[in-house]
Amino acid sequence: MMIVDEQKCIGCGECVLACSLGVIKIRSRKARVGQGCSFCGACKRVCPQEAVDFPAEVPEGSVPCEACPVGCRIKEGFLGACQRYRNQEGSLVRVVPLHGFEEVAQVVGEDISEEIRKPLVTGIGAGTTYPDCRPAPHILHGKVQGVDVVTVVTEAPLSYSSVLVKVDTDLPVGQEGARVKVGKKVVGHVTTEQYGSKMLSIGGVNLLTGPDGMVVARTMCEIANRRAVKLQVEGGARLEIRVGFPPVVNGQESSRMRVGCGSATMGLFAPLFKEAADEVIVLDSHLTSLMSEHAAGRFVGVKPTGVKLRFKQSTPGRYFGDHGSGWGGTSIVHPREVIKELDMKVAWPGMRILVTETTGEKAVMFQVNARGQLEEVELTALARDVVEAVASSCEPSRVSALYMGGAGGSARAGVSRYPIKLTQAVHARKANLTVGGAPTFVLPGGGISFMVDVERVKQGAFYWTPTPATICPIEYTMLLSDYQKIGGHVEAMKPFEVKMR
Ligand code: SF4
Ligand code: SF4
């Protein structure tokens, strides 16, 4: 078990919260580690008192797990920290067997049937009927693969709508939660990052109904229609974005999306890195990697180098980065700054250290001199090759966007006399919701909240109106028999063959 120094332990319980196996208890205001400990080290990492440490030796019979960077040592009969692997008589076994599709088919549920996958017509150019209790402007029926199908279309003004913008860049755009403005008007906020991308939430009902609602609706519409928009993040970057094009952050165009985080880059390129240098550091704001400690580096036989990084370790060879406008989106402007110390008992004169980024845009090589100092030297041909290999594996940076809308309100009345039945049909995949013919993802739970990739919708199909709201072309397609069942306006149906103008 992990060792707790009772002199230092204050019984705060931080380790209890960090332990995924629940084997730590606080008794008499001191942490006590139980039998099932897998030596994942989480408790040691979070203890504010530095009261927890690994034992000098792990118990006999424990098996090292190599399924992830944590590197648990799992004792006979017990689980690893992720609770997936168990030590069963000296071998690690996955506690849940491999599942075939048939074992999950019921949970996954039915797909939309082929006949209703595409609308007979789209909502683009459909117009709107107001008030909503009037039948939708076009309710068309026709045959698809010999089956009677109905498509109901409208251009729905949606005050519950927003645009989720994905900006592929390593450059910092601003703090999570920071407000995003057009001029002085607040139009959204920075939300959580995705892999290699900064995410912005633009619009939403609270901003649309707020004092800057018109500018909010206009901005959403411009983004969704793939026009250029200039944004300013409060306390952050000036952004020039256009869906389908590279983002410009503070006047600098982001051309490449990172190949992965620093750890993933090491996992992908360790065999080549090993040929290029004795030590490699991949700088990244999420996870910076150090080859000699990283599992991939050890796997390819890299020996310890005595390099210590200034970032906080996550797991061996993986360090949490920070955010800034330096290398790899970190605060490191001069790459040697990432090396906190060099243990010359382990390092050696002539040792070469390659520092690069996850995009391979920048790279530098250092050589350790006899006094243990780093001297910058020219990149060797092999180092240039591996940096080029990283760079050429990157996808181009671009801006993309999902339009999100809530169509579960009054707009349903134009489709059916019993709006709840339409909602139920959508969730049962009996009625297929498309936007300008493009497939949507309908959020689970109540209502009809959907999202669509704006690049699959004809450019210029979104409008805005000063209610304020954005206007989205939507289509519901279903079997005629289902349309009858949900109380659809069958009396307003027209055959699909008639060109609607
Ligand atoms: S986190 Fe540290 S100080 Fe707090 S209870 Fe656990 S061992 Fe004790
Ligand atoms: S090392 Fe991991 S499993 Fe063991 S007590 Fe600490 S958090 Fe729990």
Side-chain angles (χ1 to χ4, degrees), residues 117-119 122 124 432-441 451-458 473 475:
R117 220 166 275 168
K118 308 273 185 228
T122 75
I124 299 172
N432 185 24
L433 169 58
T434 49
V435 168
T440 60
F441 177 80
M451 52 176 93
V452 65
D453 176 357
V454 302
E455 286 175 90
R456 297 193 71 179
V457 181
K458 188 176 181 205
E475 307 98 33

Side-chain angles (χ1 to χ4, degrees), residues 312-331:
K312 185 171 183 275
Q313 193 185 61
S314 160
T315 53
R318 302 164 76 250
Y319 292 79
F320 296 121
D322 62 1
H323 292 272
S325 48
W327 283 44
T330 69
S331 64

Side-chain angles (χ1 to χ4, degrees), residues 61 63 74-78 86-93:
V63 176
I74 308 174
K75 288 187 288 184
E76 167 78 44
F78 289 104
R86 182 192 301 280
N87 179 340
Q88 205 164 291
E89 295 169 4
S91 298
L92 295 188
V93 292

Side-chain angles (χ1 to χ4, degrees), residues 234-253:
E234 217 169 56
R238 200 165 23 89
L239 300 172
E240 293 164 55
I241 58 161
R242 184 174 179 190
V243 169
F245 289 81
V248 179
V249 181
N250 288 330
Q252 185 185 341
E253 184 175 296

Side-chain angles (χ1 to χ4, degrees), residues 4 8-16 26 31 43 46-49 51-52:
V4 178
K8 291 183 181 172
C9 177
I10 54 172
C12 66
E14 290 291 333
C15 54
V16 176
I26 302 289
C43 48
V46 300
C47 176
Q49 296 293 109
V52 191

Side-chain angles (χ1 to χ4, degrees), residues 2 19 21 23-24 33 37-43:
M2 298 295 277
C19 180
L21 295 173
V23 299
I24 312 182
V33 182
C37 172
S38 71
F39 307 99
C40 72
C43 48

